[in-house]
Amino acid sequence: MAKIADARKTVEQLKLEVNIDRMMVSKAAAELMAYCESHAKEDPLLTPVPSSENPFREKKIFCAIL
Amino acid sequence: MLKRARARPRALVPHDVTPAASSIRALRLQALLRVPALLSPTKHSSPPRTLCFLVEMAAQEVDAQPSDTLTTLKTESETLKSKLEEERAKLHDVELHQVAEKIEALGQFVMKTRRTLKGHGNKVLCMDWCKDKRRIVSSSQEHAVTMPCTWVMACAYAPSGCAVACGGLDNKCSVYPLSLDKNENLAAKKKSVAMHTNYLSACCFTNSDMQILTSSGDGTCALWDVESGQMLQSFHGHAADVLCLDLAPSETGNTFVSGGCDKKACVWDLRTGQCVQSFETHESDINSVRYYPSGDAFASGSDDATCRLYDLRADREVAIYSKESIIFGASSVDFSLSGRLLFGGYNDYTINVWDVLKGTRVSILFGHENRVSTLRVSPDGTAFCSGSWDHTLRVSGKHFLIQCKRIKHCDESLSVCLSVSRSGPECCLNLFLTFIGAAGIEETADSNSVLSAVEYMIRTDCSASTSSSNRHSHSVRRAWYYGMALDGFYGSNSRSVLVCVYERV
């Protein structure tokens, strides 16, 4: 009995999924690319951050934890 | 992009690997959790979820039509599945990497570990960054021996940075308020929010401190109100343990994606509880899902040794990130700020960096001495932090290298939560907060169980360091260390809750 209820739910779910609106891959891919390109400058892991702003640059002070 | 069945290479599997099959995973975790009978009953006023489900099923049986046999329904579902594939294929006019051919290739990619945080006594299981990009909370498995233990498997920072949620084998998600006031007893203020019927695999605050989204080994996800502990919405649809989830970036609306041991990734509507899209192309458990920064796509990492990119508007998988030489599962993935890079932490102790658009690997990072279990890019995108079963957290960035001195701490620590949320403007990584949680144990009525707050403050002195480690060069200025020990009920092993705060010099 439980299996029938589950199967019915699966069928309903699949019906919903089949009917959604979709976009062509070419268009979706172009949009992903556009997003990457427009944000590339702001991405510190992509375009290097100048040394003066680098929070991790080497410093001379040494401290130790006890 | 060749797909082929991938047999698990047993001979090469590291000694301490956990089998990925969902039933094995669930059984093993359940065997380790022996929840004491004295756990207090749930405080929630709504009836238990299983009862609701049974009632609903009974109602459905009454309406059943005699022609609805299992076979007809199965045939119908198979037909629908092929129709779904057909519809998706109609739009598959080009591959992502073909579209990306005209974009410039990335230059040589050099990354160095900036910090190694060695504060864990055991495997780091997950981590998150704080919204102010200054703090990380991490979780780990400590001392899982014969005692009933509550591994903390999931943790998350509240958007305000004032609280941390964590949970794991105790089947619950608890929220701890954070305070840098050393006199505060953090465990006493713990609030149990979520209650599942199996382990908690992931948790995440929604846009406020007031709601938490959880996923569980019981195959469901749920949205909870923090204040009252009420379940606001539940999400059913996975056929096995749900292992991960990620919320859509706030601009794109109220959805989240979850991945599970049923190899499916599902996108859900937060308000209706409806699964709006699902993707089943992975060949094994999905360990990690993460939205693309624009919210139009998401990536997943799986035990089938691949990471994949799914576009939500094209409703299909658009890229596979894999190589012949990569045979171990990906445990954790995250995007860089622009979405051009995908970082994947793998069970072969490495981190692979992928060019999202071209589908090629740009870099491979070594350094961890055991499997990488968790990985998050900081909200400002300057660095990413990886946690591993080698008990360390490494902060890596593109051009810099600093390592922290090993912090001493209580041997019996339980776990550390590493948590962060995804937004923030500035570029400054100053303070790491690691919080070790022991959720669930306090729920016993045994009079012997003791909760004591222990707090250490460790100061640095500014003389040259004399540590025996030859790798550290810089270290923290100050570390606060909170500990709470729980003992009595579970014998002599104490479980501690520790907060270690690391601050960059």
Side-chain angles (χ1 to χ4, degrees):
Chain A
M1 282 294 122
K3 288 188 180 167
I4 294 188
D6 279 345
R8 200 173 294 121
K9 277 201 180 143
T10 318
V11 166
E12 292 306 319
Q13 178 62 35
L14 284 167
K15 283 184 184 159
L16 283 170
E17 289 183 23
V18 169
N19 291 325
I20 62 170
D21 286 327
R22 293 182 186 83
M23 187 188 280
M24 296 297 276
V25 173
S26 47
K27 182 154 186 284
E31 294 199 11
L32 287 179
M33 264 178 55
Y35 186 91
C36 276
E37 295 199 296
S38 61
H39 288 82
K41 293 268 177 321
E42 302 156 11
D43 189 344
L45 291 170
L46 213 52
T47 52
V49 161
S51 185
S52 52
E53 290 165 24
N54 181 352
F56 293 99
R57 68 186 182 279
E58 305 277 324
K59 282 193 177 157
K60 300 291 182 189
I61 311 162
F62 285 92
C63 283
I65 294 181
L66 296 172
Chain B
M1 304 243 313
L2 197 60
K3 297 184 196 183
R4 61 181 190 281
R6 195 180 292 276
R8 179 164 286 275
R10 286 260 168 234
L12 298 168
V13 156
H15 180 63
D16 62 344
V17 73
T18 304
S22 61
S23 52
I24 298 174
R25 185 196 296 258
L27 282 172
R28 185 180 152 131
L29 289 169
Q30 277 162 6
L32 285 164
L33 174 65
R34 288 182 270 280
V35 178
L38 297 169
L39 266 186
S40 57
T42 173
K43 310 172 233 176
H44 310 315
S45 55
S46 54
R49 189 178 57 78
T50 45
L51 182 59
C52 286
F53 183 60
L54 286 168
V55 167
E56 184 190 293
M57 271 176 51
Q60 281 191 344
E61 295 322 316
V62 169
D63 296 327
Q65 288 152 30
S67 59
D68 267 357
T69 62
L70 203 53
T71 349
T72 54
L73 284 170
K74 286 221 157 130
T75 333
E76 201 182 343
S77 105
E78 290 307 315
T79 330
L80 282 168
K81 277 190 189 164
S82 356
K83 180 134 192 277
L84 188 56
E85 283 317 306
E86 261 176 54
E87 293 292 323
R88 283 172 168 169
K90 281 182 193 166
L91 300 154
H92 190 195
D93 54 346
V94 77
E95 299 289 348
L96 175 61
H97 63 87
Q98 290 170 316
V99 176
E101 265 162 27
K102 47 187 167 172
I103 206 175
E104 251 180 61
L106 296 170
Q108 201 207 10
F109 209 81
V110 177
M111 290 196 91
K112 289 186 163 166
T113 303
R114 239 7 186 170
R115 294 229 175 149
T116 306
L117 305 177
K118 292 190 174 188
H120 290 273
N122 213 315
K123 305 167 181 176
V124 176
L125 290 180
C126 88
M127 60 151 293
D128 198 11
W129 293 85
C130 179
K131 242 187 162 72
D132 67 0
K133 291 96 42 218
R134 291 151 51 96
R135 295 181 286 170
I136 302 179
V137 76
S138 67
S139 92
S140 109
Q141 165 215 331
E142 310 275 358
H143 293 277
V145 285
T146 56
M147 309 298 275
C149 65
T150 56
W151 297 1
V152 175
M153 297 169 65
C155 58
Y157 246 116
S160 65
C162 298
V164 166
C166 59
L169 287 189
D170 57 349
N171 299 359
K172 296 196 284 192
C173 185
S174 309
V175 176
Y176 288 80
L178 287 180
S179 163
L180 291 181
D181 174 1
K182 46 190 170 139
N183 294 321
E184 289 261 30
N185 182 346
L186 293 185
K189 297 202 166 174
K190 183 197 87 158
K191 187 188 196 87
S192 271
V193 174
M195 190 75 109
H196 279 280
T197 53
N198 210 324
Y199 65 91
L200 190 91
S201 53
C203 62
C204 182
F205 280 86
T206 58
N207 292 331
S208 71
D209 279 15
M210 287 295 102
Q211 292 182 352
I212 289 189
L213 191 59
T214 60
S215 66
S216 165
D218 63 13
T220 69
C221 302
L223 182 67
W224 309 82
D225 177 75
V226 173
E227 200 52 51
S228 62
Q230 285 286 341
M231 185 196 288
L232 301 170
Q233 185 64 259
S234 69
F235 306 90
H236 300 260
H238 278 285
D241 307 16
V242 184
L243 295 180
C244 50
L245 59 81
D246 192 33
L247 265 178
S250 39
E251 310 81 52
T252 53
N254 291 326
T255 58
F256 74 96
V257 61
S258 65
C261 288
D262 56 356
K263 313 174 199 170
K264 245 182 6 175
C266 296
V267 181
W268 308 87
D269 183 321
L270 270 172
R271 283 161 300 189
T272 63
Q274 188 70 43
C275 170
V276 292
Q277 285 171 281
S278 68
F279 305 91
E280 208 168 344
T281 59
H282 269 293
E283 293 162 15
S284 187
D285 304 358
I286 298 179
N287 295 315
S288 173
V289 287
R290 194 74 70 209
Y291 267 96
Y292 190 78
S294 69
D296 292 329
F298 69 91
S300 58
S302 160
D303 276 341
D304 66 4
T306 67
C307 296
R308 296 174 197 235
L309 184 71
Y310 298 90
D311 189 293
L312 292 173
R313 290 164 316 160
D315 187 38
R316 61 173 298 121
E317 173 194 292
V318 291
I320 303 186
Y321 307 103
S322 66
K323 272 183 113 67
E324 293 272 347
S325 51
I326 301 176
I327 54 175
F328 286 97
S331 60
S332 188
V333 295
D334 203 359
F335 284 101
S336 71
L337 212 59
S338 63
R340 182 70 192 270
L341 300 172
L342 180 71
F343 297 93
Y346 288 75
N347 294 342
D348 61 358
Y349 315 171
T350 65
I351 295 169
N352 289 297
V353 187
W354 302 92
D355 180 331
V356 169
L357 302 176
K358 293 193 183 277
T360 53
R361 180 173 67 184
V362 293
S363 183
I364 177 169
L365 305 174
F366 302 95
H368 274 296
E369 291 150 21
N370 206 320
R371 63 165 69 182
V372 179
S373 52
T374 176
L375 190 155
R376 289 300 289 260
V377 173
S378 74
D380 56 15
T382 50
F384 69 92
C385 186
S386 52
S388 159
W389 285 17
D390 64 5
H391 313 176
T392 68
L393 296 158
R394 278 169 194 271
V395 180
S396 304
K398 198 157 182 199
H399 303 282
F400 20 74
L401 179 67
I402 293 183
Q403 287 181 339
C404 270
K405 177 176 176 159
R406 184 186 188 105
I407 307 291
K408 282 188 158 197
H409 66 103
C410 171
D411 288 333
E412 300 276 344
S413 53
L414 182 60
S415 58
V416 172
C417 284
L418 188 68
S419 165
V420 95
S421 53
R422 277 200 75 94
S423 59
E426 301 313 307
C427 172
C428 192
L429 196 69
N430 276 331
L431 200 77
F432 301 106
L433 180 86
T434 58
F435 169 77
I436 307 181
I441 296 183
E442 302 89 312
E443 291 287 320
T444 174
D446 189 290
S447 56
N448 287 332
S449 79
V450 166
L451 240 125
S452 58
V454 176
E455 183 258 337
Y456 300 92
M457 185 133 163
I458 302 171
R459 292 188 185 280
T460 62
D461 74 328
C462 289
S463 55
S465 67
T466 52
S467 160
S468 57
S469 159
N470 59 2
R471 288 206 293 172
H472 80 278
S473 55
H474 304 291
S475 57
V476 300
R477 174 176 295 161
R478 186 176 51 198
W480 291 341
Y481 186 96
Y482 291 79
M484 282 172 271
L486 260 73
D487 46 41
F489 184 74
Y490 296 109
S492 57
N493 281 11
S494 62
R495 310 287 185 214
S496 321
V497 176
L498 300 171
V499 170
C500 304
V501 172
Y502 302 77
E503 188 180 76
R504 182 179 62 87
V505 172

